[in-house]
Amino acid sequence: MSADVLSLGGSRDPDACPLGLCDGSGFVVDEATNTASDCRCRASRIARKRAASLEGRIPKRYRGASFDRPPVLGMPEPVVSAVRAYVRNLNARLQEGRGMWLVGDVGTGKTTLAMIVSGAALEAGHSVAIYSLPRLLNLIRDEVGTDNSLLDLLDRLSCVDLLHIDDLGAQHTTPWRLEQLYSIIDARYQSGRPIVATTNLMPDELAGQMGRRTLTTTVSEGGAGESSEERRVVSDDASEVVGRRIVSRLIEMCGDPLPLYGEDKRRELPVMARPA
Ligand SMILES: Nc1ncnc2c1ncn2[C@@H]1O[C@H](COP(=O)(O)OP(=O)(O)OP(=O)(O)O)[C@@H](O)[C@H]1O
Ligand SMILES: [Mg+2]
Ligand SMILES: [Zn+2]
């Protein structure tokens, strides 16, 4: 991932030393002794790099979203008001670790509203990581076995000012990945760092869904050594406890979920867009 995923503003050359002390490397070299020591810019340089390697951009589809335009103008007023109030007090909310979550039917505008919140946070100069849950879980899976990179990723996701998780509960996962997700959410819970999330499931359903997983077994069919894969969805008690722990923390951090129910607006779009 490139360093441009997060817009942090500032000088024209993002790598230049803001203090004018080092060559942009974060180290100051003492010519006389030929030794390098940390530049005073190094800590902020590291912090910026860490945040920059997370996905911190509003996806193209949601980039123009705003309170004073469709589709938000057509969304239920109580929910829009609650999101508007959150954005109005954004800095205070983020500071106190207060998040927000939107729950409801497919295609009712949950992601649109959540992206407005993330966009406002980016605009205000906060570091924001935006992931759909399936993507986040794949990212975690891909870091396995590469020494400290998994710990490093979990640490970055735990420390970013705002973590936006889209489509919570959209997918069955493995107990191990669910544990990693729990560790991120618990770290944020412990340190009072907020989460914005969207989901199709009410809290109790969400906990149950997280406890379910797809079991893949290889079935040998004898003969020429042929085999096939069999997939079953099974309930896992231990994972269900982890799911409940995650949901319990979300409720405390985000309060009651904002409900967005109704028809799937995506189904109406092609009709609306059809030329006369
Ligand atoms: N109230 C509305 N009026 C008109 N269009 C809407 C409304 N709500 C959402 N849309 C449009 O429907 C599409 C889906 O919106 P969005 O992705 O925010 O939904 P979602 O609730 O996150 O869906 P999912 O549960 O599938 O993730 C977008 O194109 C959006 O502009
Ligand atoms: Mg969505
Ligand atoms: Zn420097």
Side-chain angles (χ1 to χ4, degrees):
M1 249 171 275
S2 62
D4 69 349
V5 290
L6 198 66
S7 41
L8 290 166
S11 61
R12 265 179 299 127
D13 178 0
D15 281 335
C17 179
L19 307 167
L21 299 175
C22 70
D23 60 2
S25 63
F27 295 102
V28 183
V29 178
D30 181 347
E31 307 264 317
T33 58
N34 200 21
T35 51
S37 56
D38 288 358
C39 178
R40 294 213 312 273
C41 76
R42 191 164 144 77
S44 65
R45 194 175 286 282
I46 290 171
R48 198 178 57 189
K49 282 254 163 61
R50 293 165 78 82
S53 59
L54 296 173
E55 202 72 68
R57 263 195 312 193
I58 304 296
K60 192 168 169 212
R61 170 167 299 282
Y62 299 102
R63 242 169 250 165
S66 135
F67 288 116
D68 48 25
R69 273 199 290 275
V72 181
L73 284 178
M75 292 181 196
E77 178 49 27
V79 172
V80 176
S81 293
V83 178
R84 203 195 295 267
Y86 185 94
V87 169
R88 204 182 301 123
N89 302 302
L90 186 70
N91 288 335
R93 292 290 97 90
L94 297 187
Q95 188 65 38
E96 65 198 16
R98 182 72 174 179
M100 195 195 74
W101 58 335
L102 294 139
V103 177
D105 293 328
V106 170
T108 51
K110 300 178 299 297
T111 300
T112 306
L113 288 175
M115 288 295 171
I116 292 181
V117 172
S118 290
L122 283 168
E123 191 101 321
H126 297 283
S127 55
V128 184
I130 304 169
Y131 289 97
S132 69
L133 185 65
R135 230 181 89 60
L136 184 64
L137 294 172
N138 285 344
L139 196 70
I140 290 171
R141 178 199 61 196
D142 292 344
E143 292 295 345
V144 178
T146 43
D147 290 346
N148 288 323
S149 61
L150 176 64
L151 283 179
D152 192 52
L153 171 69
L154 297 178
D155 192 44
R156 278 180 284 140
L157 290 166
S158 303
C159 291
V160 70
D161 293 338
L162 178 64
L163 176 61
H164 175 161
I165 307 179
D166 214 53
D167 267 336
L168 212 50
Q171 173 193 53
H172 302 135
T173 189
T174 65
W176 183 83
R177 274 183 247 170
L178 193 62
E179 277 287 347
Q180 310 311 309
L181 176 67
Y182 168 74
S183 81
I184 295 166
I185 290 183
D186 187 55
R188 298 189 69 84
Y189 172 73
Q190 302 287 346
S191 59
R193 291 198 170 91
I195 293 173
V196 164
T198 71
T199 173
N200 292 129
L201 303 171
M202 285 302 282
D204 286 338
E205 294 173 291
L206 182 60
Q209 168 73 7
M210 285 183 163
R212 259 165 243 137
R213 61 191 173 106
T214 310
L215 207 65
T216 309
T217 18
T218 307
V219 185
S220 305
E221 283 161 2
E226 279 185 33
S227 62
S228 67
E229 286 197 334
E230 186 186 79
R231 287 169 195 274
R232 276 181 305 145
V233 176
V234 296
S235 276
D236 175 325
D237 289 345
S239 291
E240 195 169 332
V241 172
V242 178
R244 276 208 297 272
R245 287 205 168 120
I246 290 174
V247 171
S248 165
R249 279 157 184 74
L250 283 174
I251 291 173
E252 190 177 338
M253 296 165 88
C254 303
D256 288 332
L258 298 173
L260 267 181
Y261 289 91
E263 295 298 309
D264 179 355
K265 295 297 190 299
R266 284 193 196 92
R267 289 168 180 255
E268 296 170 18
L269 289 177
V271 180
M272 282 153 57
R274 197 176 293 157

